[in-house]
Amino acid sequence: MSKTLKGITLKGSAELVAEFFSFGINSILYQRGIYPAETFTRVTQYDMSLQLTTDAKLKNYLTNVISQLKEWLFDCTVQKLVVVITCLETNEVLERWQFDIECDKTAKEGSAPREKSIKAIQEEIRSVIRQITATVTFLPLLETACAFDLLIYTDKDLEVPEQWEESGPQLIDQSEEVRLRSFTTTIHKVNSMVAYKRTNST
Amino acid sequence: MSHFGFENDVHNVLRLDMPITNAPMARWQRKASTSNSTNTNSLSPNRNVNSSVSLSKTPSKTPGKNGKTQNTPSKAGGDRFIPTRNNKQLDVASFLISKENEPVEETPNQKAWSVTLNGYDIEEAKILHLGGKPQNAPEGYQNNLKVLYSQVSTPVSIKKSRYISSVPERILDAPDIKNDFYLNLMDWGRQNLLAVGLTSHVYLWDAGAGDIVLLKKMEDDSEYICSVSWSKDGNFLAIGTSDCKVELWDVQYQKRLRSMDGHLARVSCLCWNDHILSSGSRSGLIHQHDVRLADHHIFTFGGHTQEVCGLTWSPDGKYLASGGNDNMVYIWPVTTGSEYQAIHALNEHQGAVKALAWCPWQPNILASGGGTSDRHIRIWNANSGSCISALDTCSQVSSLVFAPNYKELVSGHGFAHDKVIIWKYPSLSKVAELEGHEDRVLNLALSPDGSIVASVAADETIRLWKSFEKDAVKKPKRPPPLKAKLSNFFFF
């Protein structure tokens, strides 16, 4: 029975990916300075130190989104998750972090767990989060106060739960895009990229 | 002639060859007018019967210009069952009835337009977001990245123990220096020689006499020097190159003694521990070489998953500290054998750790500095692996040296303020800021007597800051054998 413990089930994969997003979104909010650095606390995850928010409202909001996301991951109905950063005053979209999720629809609830060690997946997740942290070296400074929003692209026929609304894609009109690393749990594959508004200098 | 007026009128009415002006339309007239109005595709609504009298033209030949109007039934018409029919509604009605029969082809163009206008393929997905967004950061919170990266000079501690000059004592030219954060291209040896790697050349500058000697030039111009490190006595220079070799040079005779390979990627950092030379490479592996043996590669430390950019042995030779691009700092023991585990793996840094320094006057104290994403200097106890203190310097830390003369720590910085900063140890209060470099500081090196710190930067200069000069009485004499060695350099 120890073999099944190492394998990845659909449920386990959904949990891993949702956990990644929870830490990834917190990292983005911390690194880009959307919330004050003092409101974050350091935790150890994936063998490295990451920042998690302590702000109650934000935590609540993120928990809601992530738990809904976990359900959708389990149903394989989610296609993308996007973190949109907009300027508070002008409502202009400044940065857009897009995570494409490819789901292997052949994996169902009862099917045999896939062979991939949790450690390998965590290594891959670690490189992605580290890349997110390193992006501060080339992303343009966010000079104004910013707000963020989380958009989730789902299948067209999905039933929209309460409190969720439909929205536009909120694209950046003149953007530079940088593709980051991806990771896969063999059931879900997550590709990451960041798009930012082209600045006039350089 | 008014009496004739009445008669004229009566005559007019009785004449049958003039059109009747006020009468309802004859049936044949009505038919003619309806077929006309279909062809004109008029947009005006509510044309009642009488106004169509004016259209007494013959119907034009093309009643059905496009498919749709062919289906349009006769309209505007009053017949005795329905006096007036609204034109527009009839148009719409007929379209609605017949549209299901006509296939709507979505041409590829249309789909492309749809995707571009909407930003995504609306057939495939829809976008949702959770209503009721969280409260944004409190008012008055300014995004502190701006504050971080536009650092204004902070006041230094007023109590200065000595005068520290804010201009360098000397500026040397370092053309073609590779602006690569991960390389370690400068080291100052015990014989008072400063070695600098400039792309494919290694130059030695004699700090006493001021001469410059070209020690080595790479044969292949596409390869470059990655690291230089003086042995403890300052007689031998180890050079790490981009073609994965570690070379050992005798500086007195300017001869290459040996070339050691074994690495799979460029050798970006080197450090001596008596006869053991440690080399770290882009592969993440650290090789230990015993330079006295023919089979020099005695063991390997693996653990870093990305380039090893910082490597330094503790002064007592017990521990080797290594920092890498994977943000980890490992502390390794000194033993013989085949495979090793690190004693400690320190993961608190959020950026590449190139800056590492052991405290010469206090045992087991390691200072490490993180790259752009981290910007902190951390002090560790190497025995327990715990972080004693951390300091946010607001700038990428590229190099650290301890300056024992006044018990201070010197840090070299890159983005954003390119300064060299002197901190009091262990309080970590700022003593001085040395400005002058126009681009990021890559490496620091301390002179053998500890009075001068040299900083090399991407602006292709080396600045020598005489910040730690001891009082003249206490200044140590230069070792005499140095003078004898100097004379040899004139012969090449």
Side-chain angles (χ1 to χ4, degrees):
Chain A
M1 268 304 138
S2 60
K3 199 168 177 195
T4 49
L5 284 176
K6 283 198 194 147
I8 307 291
T9 60
L10 178 56
K11 188 159 184 281
S13 175
E15 293 225 6
L16 281 171
V17 177
E19 200 181 44
F20 158 72
F21 277 121
S22 160
F23 286 100
I25 295 171
N26 268 286
S27 292
I28 294 175
L29 294 178
Y30 172 76
Q31 288 294 336
R32 303 312 286 139
I34 313 290
Y35 283 80
E38 306 85 63
T39 61
F40 287 84
T41 175
R42 187 158 352 109
V43 300
T44 308
Q45 180 76 11
Y46 309 123
D47 269 343
M48 58 182 186
S49 60
L50 295 176
Q51 304 285 341
L52 268 192
T53 182
T54 53
D55 180 309
K57 266 190 153 167
L58 177 58
K59 251 166 105 166
N60 203 20
Y61 175 78
L62 285 180
T63 315
N64 280 343
V65 175
I66 298 290
S67 56
Q68 181 59 261
L69 178 68
K70 208 187 293 191
E71 266 180 49
W72 284 333
L73 281 168
F74 187 70
D75 296 331
C76 286
T77 49
V78 61
Q79 299 172 7
K80 291 191 223 280
L81 183 138
V82 180
V83 183
V84 179
I85 297 180
T86 52
C87 170
L88 204 51
E89 291 169 2
T90 63
N91 255 344
E92 199 190 354
V93 181
L94 297 174
E95 246 174 56
R96 203 169 177 276
W97 296 76
Q98 181 170 303
F99 299 92
D100 300 322
I101 304 171
E102 286 167 24
C103 189
D104 186 353
K105 301 219 175 193
T106 63
K108 287 190 236 321
E109 199 170 330
S111 57
R114 309 272 176 104
E115 287 287 324
K116 184 158 187 188
S117 77
I118 305 243
K119 217 161 178 302
I121 299 175
Q122 286 194 333
E123 273 279 345
E124 293 179 21
I125 293 181
R126 193 190 345 203
S127 340
V128 179
I129 298 197
R130 203 177 281 135
Q131 262 198 320
I132 294 177
T133 313
T135 55
V136 72
T137 51
F138 60 83
L139 286 177
L141 281 185
L142 296 174
E143 310 232 325
T144 58
C146 292
F148 83 100
D149 198 3
L150 293 175
L151 304 177
I152 304 193
Y153 285 53
T154 61
D155 286 349
K156 183 105 180 108
D157 49 2
L158 183 73
E159 194 189 305
V160 182
E162 265 183 41
Q163 299 186 339
W164 287 78
E165 309 157 351
E166 290 210 27
S167 150
Q170 299 199 12
L171 297 174
I172 303 180
D173 54 357
Q174 279 186 331
S175 64
E176 295 276 1
E177 288 181 3
V178 177
R179 193 148 269 286
L180 304 176
R181 286 219 176 97
S182 59
F183 76 91
T184 170
T185 62
T186 69
I187 299 183
H188 292 102
K189 179 163 194 247
V190 179
N191 298 315
S192 333
M193 68 105 127
V194 58
Y196 54 97
K197 199 164 168 62
R198 204 175 289 157
T199 48
N200 291 330
S201 54
T202 67
Chain B
M1 308 290 186
S2 55
H3 64 285
F4 284 121
F6 175 70
E7 228 185 295
N8 282 339
D9 275 334
V10 170
H11 272 294
N12 282 340
V13 170
L14 290 174
R15 257 199 340 222
L16 291 172
D17 55 347
M18 288 273 295
I20 306 171
T21 48
N22 285 334
M25 266 202 301
R27 197 152 170 275
W28 62 268
Q29 276 181 324
R30 261 184 271 129
K31 279 252 151 92
S33 71
T34 54
S35 55
N36 264 342
S37 55
T38 41
N39 291 334
T40 54
N41 267 346
S42 63
L43 294 175
S44 60
N46 280 6
R47 291 238 263 68
N48 63 17
V49 173
N50 286 336
S51 59
S52 51
V53 170
S54 51
L55 284 182
S56 52
K57 308 179 233 176
T58 51
S60 56
K61 275 188 198 156
T62 57
K65 275 197 192 141
N66 49 18
K68 294 217 177 117
T69 53
Q70 249 171 358
N71 296 336
T72 314
S74 65
K75 53 180 172 177
D79 54 27
R80 60 179 179 279
F81 299 109
I82 298 174
T84 59
R85 293 174 203 262
N86 186 329
N87 280 1
K88 188 169 176 201
Q89 279 186 355
L90 285 176
D91 268 333
V92 170
S94 83
F95 170 68
L96 286 172
I97 291 169
S98 59
K99 74 174 165 94
E100 296 303 328
N101 295 334
E102 288 169 347
V104 178
E105 301 147 20
E106 195 179 61
T107 60
N109 276 346
Q110 279 185 310
K111 187 148 173 108
W113 276 112
S114 157
V115 173
T116 314
L117 287 173
N118 288 317
Y120 65 103
D121 192 347
I122 52 175
E123 300 299 316
E124 299 290 315
K126 59 184 176 188
I127 306 182
L128 302 175
H129 76 142
L130 184 57
K133 283 198 296 194
Q135 197 73 22
N136 288 319
E139 302 247 342
Y141 162 60
Q142 182 193 15
N143 187 330
N144 68 347
L145 287 181
K146 180 162 189 213
V147 172
L148 281 182
Y149 290 110
S150 53
Q151 183 72 8
V152 197
S153 63
T154 49
V156 300
S157 64
I158 304 171
K159 263 193 305 183
K160 275 196 217 165
S161 51
R162 65 192 186 280
Y163 170 66
I164 298 176
S165 169
S166 57
V167 292
E169 185 202 35
R170 203 171 203 153
I171 301 181
L172 299 174
D173 213 13
D176 281 343
I177 190 157
K178 239 179 165 351
N179 183 6
D180 185 335
F181 178 80
Y182 304 99
L183 305 181
N184 291 280
L185 296 170
M186 184 173 74
D187 196 12
W188 204 327
R190 201 109 184 280
Q191 305 293 339
N192 214 7
L193 296 168
L194 184 68
V196 184
L198 301 176
T199 313
S200 49
H201 300 70
V202 176
Y203 287 92
L204 304 178
W205 177 68
D206 184 334
D211 317 319
I212 299 179
V213 167
L214 170 61
L215 182 67
K216 170 188 163 67
K217 184 184 176 329
M218 304 278 307
E219 296 91 32
D220 188 353
D221 272 337
S222 61
E223 306 284 352
Y224 52 92
I225 308 288
C226 301
S227 51
V228 294
S229 178
W230 288 100
S231 64
K232 203 161 169 185
D233 57 5
N235 288 323
F236 301 104
L237 183 66
I239 301 177
T241 60
S242 61
D243 60 359
C244 320
K245 293 201 183 12
V246 179
E247 297 188 359
L248 201 55
W249 286 70
D250 179 329
V251 165
Q252 188 186 4
Y253 299 109
Q254 288 200 21
K255 230 177 71 173
R256 191 180 76 178
L257 295 175
R258 64 189 305 188
S259 168
M260 304 181 280
D261 46 14
H263 271 295
L264 301 167
R266 73 176 186 183
V267 184
S268 35
C269 49
L270 295 164
C271 193
W272 288 86
N273 181 11
D274 283 343
H275 53 265
I276 305 272
L277 174 62
S278 304
S279 55
S281 117
R282 198 176 228 174
S283 60
L285 298 174
I286 302 170
H287 289 195
Q288 312 291 343
H289 309 269
D290 185 332
V291 299
R292 307 165 302 184
L293 305 175
D295 190 11
H296 52 86
H297 182 183
I298 40 180
F299 46 93
T300 307
F301 286 141
H304 281 289
T305 51
Q306 288 188 49
E307 184 158 25
V308 182
C309 42
L311 204 59
T312 169
W313 279 97
S314 62
D316 51 12
K318 268 176 32 188
Y319 298 119
L320 174 66
S322 67
N325 196 23
D326 54 358
N327 305 356
M328 300 291 292
V329 175
Y330 287 103
I331 300 187
W332 313 88
V334 63
T335 36
T336 51
S338 51
E339 257 196 65
Y340 299 89
Q341 290 285 356
I343 300 179
H344 295 293
L346 312 169
N347 63 2
E348 263 91 340
H349 279 290
Q350 305 233 338
V353 184
K354 175 182 162 193
L356 286 172
W358 290 93
C359 185
W361 62 89
Q362 239 185 317
N364 301 324
I365 298 290
L366 174 68
S368 63
T372 315
S373 321
D374 177 74
R375 307 177 294 275
H376 281 68
I377 295 178
R378 289 178 182 278
I379 311 284
W380 310 86
N381 178 325
N383 273 337
S384 61
S386 55
C387 181
I388 302 174
S389 55
L391 168 72
D392 189 355
T393 62
C394 306
S395 189
Q396 173 192 58
V397 185
S398 58
S399 189
L400 284 173
V401 291
F402 276 96
N405 284 3
Y406 290 93
K407 297 219 167 17
E408 287 158 347
L409 176 62
V410 192
S411 58
H413 294 270
F415 181 67
H417 51 59
D418 311 329
K419 291 187 204 165
V420 176
I421 304 187
I422 305 179
W423 312 86
K424 193 92 189 92
Y425 180 81
S427 60
L428 293 181
S429 54
K430 197 182 290 198
V431 172
E433 280 184 7
L434 305 173
E435 291 185 53
H437 277 295
E438 285 153 21
D439 204 338
R440 62 175 176 175
V441 176
L442 297 167
N443 274 106
L444 294 176
L446 196 65
S447 65
D449 64 358
S451 63
I452 305 178
V453 61
S455 58
V456 64
D459 62 357
E460 297 183 343
T461 61
I462 300 174
R463 284 170 208 247
L464 302 170
W465 312 87
K466 199 172 190 120
S467 312
F468 313 100
E469 188 154 23
K470 287 263 187 191
D471 297 335
V473 177
K474 293 185 203 157
K475 192 169 179 180
K477 289 214 180 76
R478 251 196 254 134
L482 179 62
K483 287 219 153 86
K485 291 227 167 66
L486 276 182
S487 56
N488 292 332
F489 291 139
F490 289 107
F491 291 110
F492 291 99

